[in-house]
Amino acid sequence: MRSDIVKKGATRCAHRSLFHANGYGADELSRPLIGVCNSFNEIIPGHMHLKSITEAVKLGVAAAGGTPVEFPAIGVCDGIAMGHTGMKFSLASRELIADSIEAVTMASGFDGLILIPNCDKVVPGMLMAAARLNIPSVIVSGGPMLAGRFHGRDISVSQAFEAAGKFAAGKMTQAEMTDLEAHACPGYGSCAGLFTANTMNCLSEALGMALPGNGTIPAAYNGARLILAKCAGKVVMDLIAKNICPRDILTRDAFENAITVDMGIGGSSNTVLHLTAIANECGIQIPATLFDEISARTPYITKLSPAGHHHMQDLDEAGGINAVMHELSRKNLLHLDALTVTGTVGDRIKDARIERDDVIRTVDNPYRTTGGIAILKGNLCPDCAVVKASAVSEDMLVYRGAAKCYDSEEAAINAIMVGEIHDGDVVVIRYEGPKGGPGMQEMLNPTAAITGAGLKVGLITDGRFSGASQGACIGHISPEAMEGGPIALIRDGDEIFIDIPNRKLELEVSDAELAKRRAAWTKPEPKIKTGYLARYAKLTTSASTGAVLKV
């Protein structure tokens, strides 16, 4: 066993005494040591209940003959961090999570890992750690939040963000806004729509690193979640016995499966960053063009919030990710022989079926014949830009408008709230990329304010968007402004052309004029010059390569 390095031999006498101090007896030390990484905290609603999930995991490990050893991981609540300096730390926290898990695991000599995330950067951070460490590992999340109820309809946190725009536009009173905020998030779990956290938990299934139901069984369904957690504890012991490690599962085929499912369900645009970063840990390069190639052949068969009115509990009731994958397999879109933590994909999904055809459509009757995410190219984004096409209304798929430029998210939000933005504009938010932000802030506040106000505008940024964002919101523009990308050269009034079906994003300014502007451009001072974010800004790569830290 790998853990023998901390348990066996005369030179490990002191090590064993330290284990004894923690209450581990000789019998427990004779078994495989399983690191159980619990990201519980009292900040994120998706993590408040993870103590009970962790205890169930530990029971499963012990029942299968292992010794569970719990340790913590940090987590940032994107919703609470949204719209202020805290959001700069969100994406950057992904690397801290991966690094800290690596540190504890290597220092402790664990034989296997159970990783317990739930929200946003925690899921990809833990998957990155699993890939990097390459010891038998299973992901088991805390599950999605149930939708809230307001005036007879299902809602989620996205409606709470949109309320600010409605209030500013005079479409909602203070009393109505207070009433809505009391009902939008009814309990524990990752926010109820197909936002980044729930997308990544679903894709953990598609990658093969999590058990069926991981992404869709609601957190409120306590019994089902605890059974899943106990099962995960047993599964990791089976992986150890068979010596199946993450890189045996996280193959090129697995990533293609995950991207296919992502396109089929219309997942968060942040998945382009995260899947690229996880693949990087496996030594697999995933170019942005692969997302578009897979999108071109993958029908969009679910329409969950924010694109539609269904939520994660509906997807679970409809058959979950297994049903989605089974349906996509009817078009031969998946690698069925890809390995998972419990056999092959084909074995896993063979008996799955659609239980609610109003939630999961067939591949013969999709919402759209192409996938939920589009990769754009053009003189404004020579490397790439990303848009969640599934959340763009039909009348905004092709759009031309005049630029209104803001050098920070805060400046753009202020402009929206005071009525500076009008129909026909293209809001440009720049210097918010991985280096410029630093940390590549999510732009849910401005997108929600625009939606709430009922404005018909485009929005482009070298930052990124929340999975809860909707509309013609184009992010990840690369190269970013801080690197001198074309987005830094836009001026108020410039015409910008968006053509999502044809994958184009163009700044309608002549090459000669752009060359003149480039010659006059000077790189601004960093927004943050000390601490972790200053180090992050120096080490991070472009959004087009996953915004990972350079080695």
Side-chain angles (χ1 to χ4, degrees):
M1 288 186 289
R2 186 176 178 277
S3 59
D4 287 349
I5 198 170
V6 298
K7 297 187 304 188
K8 286 194 173 180
T11 60
R12 297 301 183 256
C13 175
H15 301 61
R16 290 189 295 272
S17 71
L18 291 167
F19 276 109
H20 292 327
N22 288 333
Y24 297 104
D27 181 55
E28 290 168 299
L29 292 181
S30 70
R31 304 170 186 169
L33 295 184
I34 308 302
V36 178
C37 186
N38 177 11
S39 57
F40 161 82
N41 64 46
E42 295 183 344
I43 304 165
I44 312 175
H47 292 227
M48 277 287 287
H49 63 305
L50 293 187
K51 285 183 178 179
S52 63
I53 300 293
T54 302
E55 290 306 312
V57 162
K58 289 157 73 174
L59 284 172
V61 168
T67 296
V69 183
E70 182 182 344
F71 68 98
I74 66 165
V76 169
C77 180
D78 280 25
I80 292 172
M82 199 73 67
H84 60 91
T85 302
M87 180 45 72
K88 296 178 186 295
F89 287 88
S90 175
L91 180 60
S93 74
R94 185 187 69 182
E95 320 314 299
L96 287 174
I97 291 162
D99 290 352
S100 63
I101 293 171
E102 177 191 16
V104 174
T105 300
M106 293 301 293
S108 307
F110 295 139
D111 297 293
L113 286 172
I114 304 276
L115 301 165
I116 308 173
N118 213 25
C119 292
D120 293 89
K121 304 320 142 314
V122 188
V123 185
M126 288 188 170
L127 282 165
M128 289 167 66
R132 187 184 304 173
L133 290 159
N134 202 35
I135 63 173
S137 304
V138 179
I139 296 282
V140 59
S141 78
M145 187 184 293
L146 292 175
R149 294 287 293 172
F150 183 71
H151 293 176
R153 65 188 181 102
D154 286 346
I155 63 167
S156 70
V157 71
S158 61
Q159 280 74 40
F161 275 102
E162 290 166 12
K166 289 184 177 181
F167 177 72
K171 297 180 178 180
M172 178 176 279
T173 67
Q174 177 70 58
E176 288 171 330
M177 185 166 65
T178 300
D179 189 19
L180 183 146
E181 70 191 43
H183 292 88
C185 298
Y188 299 154
S190 44
C191 296
L194 190 63
F195 313 144
T196 303
N198 289 327
T199 304
M200 286 307 303
N201 278 322
C202 288
L203 297 190
S204 297
E205 292 185 45
L207 284 168
M209 288 295 294
L211 298 173
N214 179 74
T216 59
I217 299 172
Y221 296 0
N222 186 59
R225 293 280 355 160
L226 295 181
I227 291 168
L228 189 74
K230 289 176 189 175
C231 187
K234 295 174 183 177
V235 166
V236 78
M237 297 302 297
D238 184 55
L239 294 175
I240 290 171
K242 295 176 180 175
N243 193 30
I244 296 174
C245 296
R247 291 185 208 170
D248 298 319
I249 297 169
L250 295 172
T251 62
R252 172 79 175 213
D253 284 355
F255 284 101
E256 290 188 3
N257 282 347
I259 295 170
T260 300
V261 172
D262 195 14
M263 297 304 163
I265 63 177
S268 166
S269 59
N270 283 316
T271 56
V272 177
L273 285 173
H274 298 325
L275 290 175
T276 302
I278 298 161
N280 180 69
E281 296 288 350
C282 300
I284 298 170
Q285 300 305 309
I286 297 182
T289 51
L290 179 62
F291 288 84
D292 220 42
E293 289 169 17
I294 292 175
S295 181
R297 62 177 182 253
T298 305
Y300 170 45
I301 60 174
T302 75
K303 196 170 186 178
L304 305 177
S305 174
H309 63 274
H310 291 126
H311 293 80
M312 296 307 296
Q313 65 210 63
D314 298 300
L315 180 58
D316 187 63
E317 188 178 321
I321 294 303
N322 273 5
V324 170
M325 294 182 76
H326 183 271
E327 186 59 27
L328 292 173
S329 74
R330 290 182 53 233
K331 283 196 73 174
N332 298 315
L333 295 171
L334 297 174
H335 302 284
L336 298 181
D337 57 350
L339 192 62
T340 78
V341 292
T342 54
T344 66
V345 169
D347 290 338
R348 178 179 281 196
I349 68 172
K350 64 183 179 182
D351 296 322
R353 63 181 183 180
I354 297 172
E355 302 289 352
R356 282 183 57 185
D357 58 12
D358 63 317
V359 178
I360 303 173
R361 288 192 176 185
T362 67
V363 292
D364 304 311
N365 180 38
Y367 286 100
R368 290 179 183 166
T369 56
T370 57
I373 294 174
I375 306 297
L376 309 185
K377 287 287 193 80
N379 69 344
L380 192 42
C381 51
D383 292 343
C384 75
V386 180
V387 61
K388 186 173 180 176
S390 59
V392 181
S393 61
E394 295 291 334
D395 63 343
M396 290 294 289
L397 290 171
V398 179
Y399 178 83
R400 179 180 276 105
K404 285 197 173 175
C405 302
Y406 302 93
D407 289 348
S408 69
E409 180 192 13
E410 292 80 5
I413 292 171
N414 290 338
I416 295 164
M417 298 305 285
V418 300
E420 198 173 289
I421 307 301
H422 305 100
D423 287 351
D425 290 339
V426 176
V427 180
V428 179
I429 306 178
R430 58 194 176 191
Y431 297 103
E432 291 289 8
K435 291 181 178 294
M440 205 178 180
Q441 295 192 91
E442 283 188 343
M443 304 292 171
L444 179 55
N445 264 10
T447 62
I450 285 168
T451 300
L455 292 169
K456 186 176 179 179
V457 301
L459 199 161
I460 67 171
T461 181
D462 52 6
R464 60 198 177 92
F465 293 107
S466 164
S469 293
Q470 58 180 306
C473 305
I474 300 166
H476 306 205
I477 288 181
S478 304
E480 62 175 286
M482 199 67 172
E483 295 282 88
I487 190 172
L489 309 179
I490 305 172
R491 293 180 180 173
D492 284 349
D494 286 349
E495 288 288 309
I496 294 173
F497 179 57
I498 299 166
D499 185 351
I500 294 172
N502 290 303
R503 306 304 197 246
K504 290 181 181 178
L505 179 61
E506 296 284 344
L507 176 62
E508 296 185 328
V509 173
S510 71
D511 291 344
E513 174 62 20
L514 285 177
K516 188 189 336 181
R517 293 182 190 181
R518 189 178 303 283
W521 178 80
T522 56
K523 187 174 184 175
E525 285 289 308
K527 294 176 183 175
I528 294 180
K529 300 179 181 181
T530 60
Y532 174 58
L533 285 178
R535 295 196 300 276
Y536 179 88
K538 290 177 181 177
L539 295 173
T540 188
T541 65
S542 166
S544 64
T545 55
V548 297
L549 298 187
K550 300 172 209 168
V551 177

